Each structure stands twice: as structure tokens, then as C-alpha cells.
Amino acid sequence: MSKILRVTLPIAFIVVFYAGEPAGTLFGCRAFNVIPPLMWLLLLVTLGAANAASAFGLVRTERTRDLAFWGLTLKVCFLPIFLVSLVVFALIGSQFSLRPEALPLEFALLTPYAVLSYALMIVTSCYGFAAIIRARDEQVISPETAKNYKRWHAIPIADLVASIRLYLLLRRPDRAAGDNAQDANQFSRAYSAAQPVSRIGNSVADRPPTAHRAARIPWPAVAPLTASFCFVATAYAGGPLTMVFYPPYPTLRIDVWPLAILVCAAASVVYTHISRDRRKPRELAFWGLVIKLSLLPFFLITCLLTFFLGAYLFAPGGPAPQAFILPFALLGAYAIMIVTSSHGFAAIIRARDEQVISPETAKKYKRWHAIPIADLVASIRLYLLLRRLDSSALASAQDA
């Protein structure tokens, strides 16, 4: 199967789902309703089946880690829908009593909704199931572990945790095999394990290693950056900005925005953490600085809103009711600031592990990245420091 098609199918499934009537109703934006309901349902079923067929068709050819990656990506992208579905399910159930005469109507209303939500969850687990089967066949995990992960992928809420743990589990042996690829004995074993690929004319021995690496999309960099910039876009699509200024672009509803930014924040932190060992410290520091600068107007507006709410603390007769919003605003702004420091924390840890900076310097930069205002200065100084050290190392190598 073409690499482009393999990548396009899950992305198209996500885009089509969020371009239909349910997502438009959920986010209160007519711009999402670009596909008629009947066509949307048909496209959703078709793409769901195509993704399932693609996942199980790639069991013998695709890398185990890539299958687990797409399973985790689908889970994270659909997490807002599943969380809102749980809330809606609970609200609908709370409207009915437990009286026997009300149970048939309640069952008739909730069953189709629950079945459709569970079917969507199973489709998002297909890549995870395929990764488990491939890992079991390659004896990377035991049959008992494979059964446990399959069971977890079929249980709501537990499926997301299982996807994260599966990717982290499969990433470790894959990285260890890559580190030992230059050893002759290890290469011989890896070549023997890759023989099934040669049956479709895609043998590793027929191509130089550089061409094989160049054909891959750098997911360790693409995934965390995509999640981080989705986080930035979500921050500007609601919250303090829309409270102070009326934006000319579509925004998220006030009850949906906290959930959406929480999901994007979790995705940004998780993907940055699991990809830091395969990215350079200077690259991590650069993107950390870019994200800090991207959200600088957001934090400036948050400061203005904080001063505005703080004035209600000194209202005549005691603090006004608006002042009780201040602690939540401060806590939310600080949490968002910590998320923007995730690339900086990853760069510091990576540089410390590579002995580019000392443990004392790493502690100092970590402390600065956790303090408002100082975090931006620390991001600038960290990037300049790592760039200077890289330039010095390159100059030394050229002189040698």
C-alpha cells in the first residue's frame, strides 16, 4: 500500500468526522457543517472501514511502532468527542428516573447513542490491535501481554491508557535495535526479522540505509509540533481572548473550550515527552521558544484580565463576587504556561543527559521555566546557549 495512502486514511477520517453536523453542533460553529448529514454518515462509515482494513492489512509490512503511533494519534484526536459523549450520556440518563415504566424509553434513547460511540472507539483501536498482533508475531511481547492489551483496547477510557503504554512499550525495543544497527551480529538478526517485507519487493537489502531513512516522515518531530500548535490555536479560540476582544473568527463555546484545551495540552506534553530522546536539544529549545512567543499575546491579555478581576477584591463593602474567579484564572494561566514549557523541559533534560550542560545549570533552567515571565527569558537564554555550544562543537570538529 502506498505510503501516502497509509498516512492519508487516518487523517481523512479525523477531518471528515469534525466536518460534519455533530461537531458543528458541539462547537457551536456553522463553519464545521460543510458536509450534508447523509453524505457525512456515508463518508464516515467508508473511511472507518478503510482504516480498519488498512490497519489489519499492514500487520505484515508496517513497523510495529508506526501502527501503535497511529492508534495513539486517533485516540488523542477523538478524545474530546468521547469525553463529551460521556457527559451527554450521563445527562440524558439523569433526566429519567428508575421507575419501571420509564426504563424502556431510556433504553431506547441511550442504546443507539452508546452503540455508535462504542463502534467509533473500536475503529480508533484498529491500529492498536494491528500493532499488538504484529508485536506478538515478532515475539516482542508475550501472548499473555497481547491479550491484556487487546482487552484494554476494547474498554472505554482504558483504551487511551493502553494506547499510550503500548506505544511506549514498543518504542523501547525499536530504539534499542536502531542503536545496535551498526553491529554485524545485530544487523544479521534484524535482517532476518525483516525478510517478510521482501516478499512484496520492498526488501531493506535492496536500498541503502540513507534512502530508507529519507523515505520516512519524521514523526518524532511532526507529532509533538502538531499537538503543540493545536494547543496554541485552541488557546486563541476561546477563554480570555474572547472575553476581552470579540474575535472575527469562529470560536469554541465557553463550555467546550476548557475540555478542548485540556486535551490539546495533554497531547502536547505526552508527545513531547515520548519524542525527546530522538530530537536534538537545540531543536527542542528552538520550538519551545517559538511556542512561548506564539502565546505571548495570550498571556498579556490574561494579565490584563487578572488586574481587572483583582480590582474587585477592593470593592466597597468587601470583595465582589467577580473576585472569586481570580484564583481559577490564575491557576489556569499558570497551567497553560507550564504546558508551553514542555519543550524547554525536554531540551534541558536531553542536554543534561548528553552532558552538554551541567546538572546545576539544568536545575537552574528548570526553575526559571516554572516561573511566570522568567520562563520566556529562560527560553531565550537556553536556545542561545545550546546554539553557541553546537557552533563551538562544530568548529572544533572542523579544526580536527
Side-chain angles (χ1 to χ4, degrees), residues 39-371:
M39 183 181 296
W40 174 81
L41 183 61
L42 180 62
L43 284 175
L44 193 66
V45 173
T46 303
L47 287 173
N51 274 275
S54 172
F56 291 108
L58 296 172
V59 169
R60 295 183 179 274
T61 59
E62 192 75 356
R63 292 196 308 168
T64 308
R65 191 181 69 187
D66 289 345
L67 292 169
F69 168 81
W70 281 114
L72 176 58
T73 300
L74 284 176
K75 292 292 182 185
V76 172
C77 290
F78 281 101
L79 184 57
I81 299 300
F82 290 130
L83 292 177
V84 173
S85 297
L86 289 176
V87 174
V88 172
F89 191 84
L91 289 177
I92 294 177
S94 64
Q95 299 300 318
F96 296 90
S97 62
L98 296 178
R99 293 177 300 175
E101 59 272 15
L103 290 179
L105 179 59
E106 182 178 359
F107 183 80
L109 290 176
L110 293 180
T111 299
Y113 190 80
V115 168
L116 292 175
S117 299
Y118 188 77
L120 180 63
M121 189 207 75
I122 291 296
V123 171
T124 61
S125 296
C126 287
Y127 287 94
F129 289 137
I132 296 168
I133 294 172
R134 178 68 184 271
R136 183 198 61 195
D137 294 344
E138 292 181 349
Q139 298 182 352
V140 176
I141 60 176
S142 64
E144 292 75 15
T145 304
K147 288 181 181 179
N148 288 333
Y149 274 106
K150 281 185 178 180
R151 189 180 305 116
W152 291 345
H153 271 76
I155 301 175
I157 301 176
D159 62 323
L160 176 61
V161 180
S163 298
I164 298 173
R165 294 189 60 182
L166 178 65
Y167 179 78
L168 295 176
L169 175 66
L170 297 178
R171 175 173 164 264
R172 287 197 295 267
D174 188 70
R175 185 178 62 189
D179 293 338
N180 297 326
Q182 295 179 354
D183 185 79
N185 295 329
Q186 294 293 333
F187 176 79
S188 177
R189 292 173 59 189
Y191 178 76
S192 299
Q195 287 302 315
V197 182
S198 62
R199 297 175 186 174
I200 60 172
N202 193 26
S203 175
V204 177
D206 296 335
R207 299 176 301 182
T210 54
H212 179 68
R213 287 194 297 268
R216 297 179 188 170
I217 298 176
W219 296 119
V222 173
L225 290 180
T226 301
S228 297
F229 283 106
C230 286
F231 173 74
V232 173
T234 305
Y236 283 111
L241 185 72
T242 57
M243 294 175 64
V244 178
F245 302 105
Y246 184 79
Y249 49 85
T251 58
L252 298 175
R253 285 186 354 217
I254 189 62
D255 56 336
V256 175
W257 181 77
L259 181 62
I261 198 169
L262 178 63
V263 171
C264 292
S268 177
V269 172
V270 169
Y271 278 126
T272 302
H273 174 74
I274 65 180
S275 68
R276 73 184 184 196
D277 292 337
R278 288 176 291 155
R279 301 169 67 189
K280 295 180 180 179
R282 178 179 170 180
E283 175 196 349
L284 289 166
F286 171 77
W287 287 113
L289 176 58
V290 169
I291 293 169
K292 290 283 185 187
L293 294 175
S294 299
L295 279 174
L296 185 57
F298 176 87
F299 287 117
L300 292 177
I301 294 173
T302 303
C303 289
L304 293 176
L305 184 61
T306 301
F307 291 140
F308 176 76
L309 293 175
Y312 287 99
L313 290 172
F314 307 99
Q322 292 86 344
F324 294 101
I325 307 176
L326 183 61
F328 299 99
L330 292 175
L331 182 61
Y334 185 77
I336 292 175
M337 188 214 73
I338 291 295
V339 173
T340 63
S341 297
S342 58
H343 273 82
F345 289 134
I348 295 167
I349 295 172
R350 181 73 168 154
R352 183 199 61 193
D353 293 344
E354 292 184 354
Q355 298 182 352
V356 176
I357 60 176
S358 65
E360 292 74 16
T361 303
K363 288 181 181 178
K364 181 175 65 175
Y365 275 105
K366 279 186 178 180
R367 191 181 305 116
W368 289 349
H369 271 76
I371 301 175

